[in-house]
Amino acid sequence: MKCFNLILLVSLSFIKNSAAAGNWCYEIQGCAGTGPRLWSKHFPFCGGQQQSPINIHTKGAVFKESLKLVQFNLTGYGDIVRKLSITNNGHSAQVNLPSGIEISGGGLSGTYVATQFHFHWGSEEFHGSEHTIDGEKFPMELHIVHARKNATGGSGDLAVLGFFYEETSKNNTEYDSLIKSIEAITAVDGIKNFSANLAKLIPQNEALKLYYRYNGSLTTPPCTETVTWTLFNTTIKLSKQQLQAFHHNLNFTAIERMVENFRPVQKRGNRIVYTSSSQVIVSSFQSLFICFIVSFLTIMS
Ligand SMILES: *[C@@H]1O[C@H](CO)[C@@H](O)[C@H](O)[C@H]1NC(C)=O
Ligand SMILES: *[C@@H]1O[C@H](CO)[C@@H](O)[C@H](O)[C@H]1NC(C)=O
Ligand SMILES: *[C@@H]1O[C@H](CO)[C@@H](O)[C@H](O)[C@H]1NC(C)=O
Ligand SMILES: *[C@@H]1O[C@H](CO)[C@@H](O)[C@H](O)[C@H]1NC(C)=O
Ligand SMILES: *[C@@H]1O[C@H](CO)[C@@H](O)[C@H](O)[C@H]1NC(C)=O
Ligand SMILES: *[C@@H]1O[C@H](CO)[C@@H](O)[C@H](O)[C@H]1NC(C)=O
Ligand SMILES: *[C@@H]1O[C@H](CO)[C@@H](O)[C@H](O)[C@H]1NC(C)=O
């Protein structure tokens, strides 16, 4: 016990001295000793068994009755244009959210308050989502972080809604203001005001019904294992130019472009990934029909 305490004390002071100032980096930054494979040296949680991101093997996801057709109650995500500000925090572009934006339902235990959202992206060469679906990476991933109103100091204290981006031919005009603003935050600590309709940055209503759910961690140090993850099947569409705006405009440092700011996938271990998808009960004929309708609507829009 004494020995354990000593180890704890030593490792805690080590954290304080070597890494308290956010001294960690992504693989592409080539910073010896502080890249993702070594995060656990300075941040012990990063070496845990319930880490994120992971690969979602869709065929292995377990259908959960309680997630079926349960809709998210997105309070305050409402159809209003908000004045927000975006910051380059040296690892991503982050938007801190005002109070009053909440989620509940969707199989979550309790009400969660949105605190911030940020992005993980790639480069001209590589896609940059953190989670992968059946081994596939998407160009970019959005994380909307929420904190449980009644935090218990453990599992489920945070709920992160994750969305994948897909490239389309047209600009997504809902993102115009946000994307314009990132041109002004090249340097670390850069900050810029912009306005956006939060509800319209993400898919809406029915498109939120299909998702994957698992227990994991923050994908950046300290990698705390308190996150209830929700990854939506419906992607957000951005044009190539809009995606490139992330590659070309932000910097990690005065000499490094901020690209490929993702953590590699971690071992799922014996964790179960649940799905709200009723695909098991939707016959292949029905899916073909839905596919036909969706294609038709896409063509028409
Ligand atoms: C949505 O959440 C808000 C705030 O927690 C609550 O007042 C409202 O009743 C909820 N609406 C539904 C439809 O559950
Ligand atoms: C949060 O905790 C307080 C006090 O323990 C309780 O009165 C309240 O109902 C809880 N709220 C929710 C949403 O669980
Ligand atoms: C951003 O908005 C805040 C208040 O919403 C304001 O105080 C600040 O001056 C604005 N910053 C810039 C650079 O316009
Ligand atoms: C997450 O962990 C909690 C506590 O161990 C458990 O009750 C819950 O079912 C888990 N959720 C998932 C999606 O595995
Ligand atoms: C959505 O679900 C389909 C069917 O399981 C799967 O092929 C596709 O990869 C999923 N996409 C995402 C982004 O989850
Ligand atoms: C599309 O978005 C990009 C990036 O913001 C911008 O440079 C370009 O002018 C836009 N194109 C059109 C046709 O609006
Ligand atoms: C951003 O990084 C690029 C590439 O290293 C460099 O040329 C540029 O001066 C940097 N800009 C700022 C504001 O740090």
Side-chain angles (χ1 to χ4, degrees), residues 124 166-171 238-248:
E124 295 302 288
E166 234 179 325
E167 186 183 315
T168 47
S169 54
K170 274 192 294 186
N171 275 359
L238 288 184
S239 71
K240 190 186 182 106
Q241 263 190 308
Q242 290 182 309
L243 290 166
Q244 283 176 334
F246 286 86
H247 307 157
H248 296 164

Side-chain angles (χ1 to χ4, degrees), residues 170-173 175-176 179-180 183 239 241-243 245:
K170 274 192 294 186
N171 275 359
N172 179 339
T173 55
Y175 275 76
D176 279 351
I179 285 173
K180 187 99 194 86
E183 292 168 11
S239 71
Q241 263 190 308
Q242 290 182 309
L243 290 166

Side-chain angles (χ1 to χ4, degrees), residues 50 64 155 213-215 228 272 274:
Q50 307 231 319
K64 198 174 196 177
S155 161
R213 165 70 45 78
Y214 80 98
N215 283 342
T228 298
I272 298 173
Y274 294 97

Side-chain angles (χ1 to χ4, degrees), residues 24-27 36 39 51-56 91-92 116 118-122 126-145 160-165 214 216-221 223 227 229 231 252 259-267:
W24 57 271
C25 75
Y26 285 109
E27 205 148 286
W39 286 356
Q51 290 291 293
S52 295
I54 58 168
N55 173 50
I56 306 290
H91 305 293
S92 182
Q116 51 105 335
H118 62 267
F119 306 88
H120 297 273
W121 59 88
F126 297 104
H127 281 175
S129 68
E130 296 209 295
H131 289 88
T132 57
I133 303 288
D134 294 327
E136 183 192 354
K137 247 167 132 52
F138 292 80
M140 190 159 90
E141 188 170 327
L142 165 66
H143 291 161
I144 313 180
V145 181
V160 181
L161 303 186
F163 295 89
F164 298 103
Y165 288 85
Y214 80 98
S217 73
L218 297 175
T219 65
T220 57
C223 310
V227 181
W229 277 96
L231 298 166
F252 281 126
V259 290
E260 298 177 29
N261 57 348
F262 57 85
R263 185 188 197 190
V265 290
Q266 306 293 301
K267 288 199 177 71

